[in-house]
Amino acid sequence: MEASVILPILKKKLAFLSGGKDRRSGLILTIPLCLEQTNMDELSVTLDYLLSIPSEKCKARGFTVIVDGRKSQWNVVKTVVVMLQNVVPAEVSLVCVVKPDEFWDKKVTHFCFWKEKDRLGFEVILVSANKLTRYIEPCQLTEDFGGSLTYDHMDWLNKRLVFEKFTKESTSLLDELALINNGSDKGNQQEKERSVDLNFLPSVDPETVLQTGHELLSELQQRRFNGSDGGVSWSPMDDELLAQPQVMKLLDSLREQYTRYQEVCRQRSKRTQLEEIQQKVMQVVNWLEGPGSEQLRAQWGIGDSIRASQALQQKHEEIESQHSEWFAVYVELNQQIAALLNAGDEEDLVELKSLQQQLSDVCYRQASQLEFRQNLLQAALEFHGVAQDLSQQLDGLLGMLCVDVAPADGASIQQTLKLLEEKLKSVDVGLQGLREKGQGLLDQISNQASWAYGKDVTIENKENVDHIQGVMEDMQLRKQRCEDMVDVRRLKMLQMVQLFKCEEDAAQAVEWLSELLDALLKTHIRLGDDAQETKVLLEKHRKFVDVAQSTYDYGRQLLQATVVLCQSLRCTSRSSGDTLPRLNRVWKQFTIASEERVHRLEMAIAFHSNTEKILQDCPEEPEAINDEEQFDEIEAVGKSLLDRLTVPVVYPDGTEQYFGSPSDMASTAEHIRDRMKLVNLKRQQLRHPEMVTTES
C-alpha cells in the first residue's frame, strides 16, 4: 500500500507513529480519537499502512498503543481496542487508553480490560494523561501527552510521500537499468558489433532520482543527528521507521547501475557515432566515386574559343561548388575520426584508421582531379586568349597591308615602314607565345589519361590535340602570308623612299643650279685690270661652268631614276611635270649668262692684250704700233665692250638680267675708258712727236 493512494485518509491523522519508544524499545502507535465519529474502516486502513512500515525486527519487539480517548466516547474507545485485536493482535504488547479526568470513572467499572487480556491478546490499561509517564518516558511522548517529543504529522506525511516515490522510482529504475546493462553485457558476448536495443531508455532521469535520494538522505541524516535545545532529537524517518538504510542501499545500487548504464551509453554513443561516421563516410565516398566522378568524366573538352572556355570554366565551378559541400563533410568527419582516435579505444582503432584512410584517398584523388581540370581549363583559356590576340594582330597587319600606301614624303614612309616592322615583330612574339602555351596545354592533355578511371579518352584527347595543333598551324600560315606581303610592301616602300629621295635631290640640284646662276650674275662681274688677270678669271669661269654642268647632269640622272621608279611603282612622279622643266629652264638661263660672261671676258682679253702692246715703253715691233688700224681696232673693241656692259642678258622667256649692280658696271666701264684714253694719248704722241717734246 502506498501513501499516495490513501493520502486523504492519512491526512486525517487517525493514527500515527510518532517515533517514540516504550521501555522495551517497542514503537509507540498513537490513535488520537476526536469528537466526531471515527470511521473504523479508514482507521483500519491507516493502521494497516502504519504497521507495514516498521521492519520485522521492530515488530517483534511489540507495539505500545496509546488510544487518546479524552475527546471521544467510551463505546468508540472500546470499539477501537477490540479492533486492535483483529488488526494487530500479535504485535500489540500494551494498550494505554488515555481517559478523561472525570467522565469515565463509573463506567469503567462495568468493563475490566485486564480480565479480557487472554481474549484480546494484549494488556489494556486506563490511565490519565499526566500519569502516562509511568509506562513511557516523557522524552518518548509527544507534547499532547506532556512529553518533549516533537512530531509534525504533515511533515512526516510529505517525507513519507517523498520516500515512497523515491523507493518506487528507484526500484523501477534499477530494474530498467539492470535490464539495459544485462542486455548490453549479453549483447557484447553474442555480438560485439551491436548493442542492445538502442531505443530502450530509462523511463525517468537517473540524475533526478539520484538527486532526490541524496536530498532525502541528507534530510534524514540532518534530522537524526541535529537535536534542539540539547534534548534528544526526534527522527520520524529513522532507520527503524523509514528504512534509512534502505535509502542508502537503493542509492548505492542506483549509483552502481547508473555507472554501468553510463558506460553502456558511452559505448552505445560511441558505436552510434562510429556507425554514423561510417555511414557518412560511405555517403561521401559513394558520391565522389559516383556522381562526382561522372561529372568530371563528362567534362573533357577545352573549348574552341575564349567564350567556350569560360563557359566550361563556369560549369567546372558549379561542379567544384557541389564537391565543396562534400569536402566540408569530409573535414568534419576527419575531425570526428581524429577525436575518436585520440580517445584510444583499441578495438575501434583499426576500423577508424581504415575509414579515415579510405575517405582521405578518395577525397584527395577527387580534389586532384578537380585541380587538374581547373588548371587545364585555365591553360586552355590562356591559349585561346593568346590565339585571339595574335589573330587580331594579324588582322590589323593584314588590314594595314591591304591599304594602298599614299604617303606625303619619305619621312612618313619611313615611319610607316617602322610601324610595319614593329607589328611584324609583335606577331612573331605572339606566335612564339602561342606555341609555348599550346605545347604546355598539349603536355597537360597527355597526362589526362593517368586519372581517367579506365575511361578511354583517346577520342576526346585527339579532338583537343587536333584543335590546338590546327590553331597553331593556321596562325603560322597567316603569319607566313603576312610576312610575304610585308616583304613586297617593304620593297615597294623602300622604292618609294628612294623615289622621294631622288625627287628631293633633283629639287636640290635645281636649287644649287639657281644659286650658281645667281652667283654668276651677282659676283662674277669683274673683267680684270690686265690681260693676265682676265685670263685667270676666264679659267675660273670655265671651272665654275663645269660645276654647274655636273649639277645639271646630276639632276638629270636623278629625274631619270624617278621615271624608272615610277614605272616600277606604277605611279606618277611630281618631278616629271615640275622639277625637269625648272631644271632645264635654270640650266638654259645659266648657259646664256655663262656664254655672255665668256664673250665679255674674251673681249676684255683682246682689249687688254692690244692695249698692253701699245702702251709698252719699248715696243718690240714699232712698225705695228704705227699702224693706225691697230689703234682703230682697240678703240672699236673698247667701245663694243662698253656697249656690251650696258646690255642685259635676255632669257628665252623674254626676261632680262644684268651682271652685278649699276655701280659695279660703272666701275668696270670707267676702267675701260681710262685704258682707252691712254691708248688715244699714245696715238696722239705717235702722230705728233713735237707735241710731246714741247710739253716736256
Side-chain angles (χ1 to χ4, degrees), residues 553-567 580:
D553 293 340
Y554 175 67
R556 290 282 298 183
Q557 292 174 0
L558 290 174
L559 292 175
Q560 290 176 357
T562 59
V563 173
V564 175
L565 290 173
C566 287
Q567 292 175 351
L580 182 59

Side-chain angles (χ1 to χ4, degrees), residues 48 97-98 148 168 477 490-491 622 677 689:
D48 289 340
V97 178
V98 181
S148 60
K168 180 180 179 181
L477 291 175
R490 184 187 297 111
L491 177 60
K677 288 181 180 179

Side-chain angles (χ1 to χ4, degrees), residues 287 317 319-330 370:
W287 190 90
E317 289 175 357
I319 295 176
E320 282 186 332
S321 178
Q322 297 180 20
H323 279 74
S324 298
E325 298 177 0
W326 291 97
F327 288 153
V329 177
Y330 156 71
L370 288 171

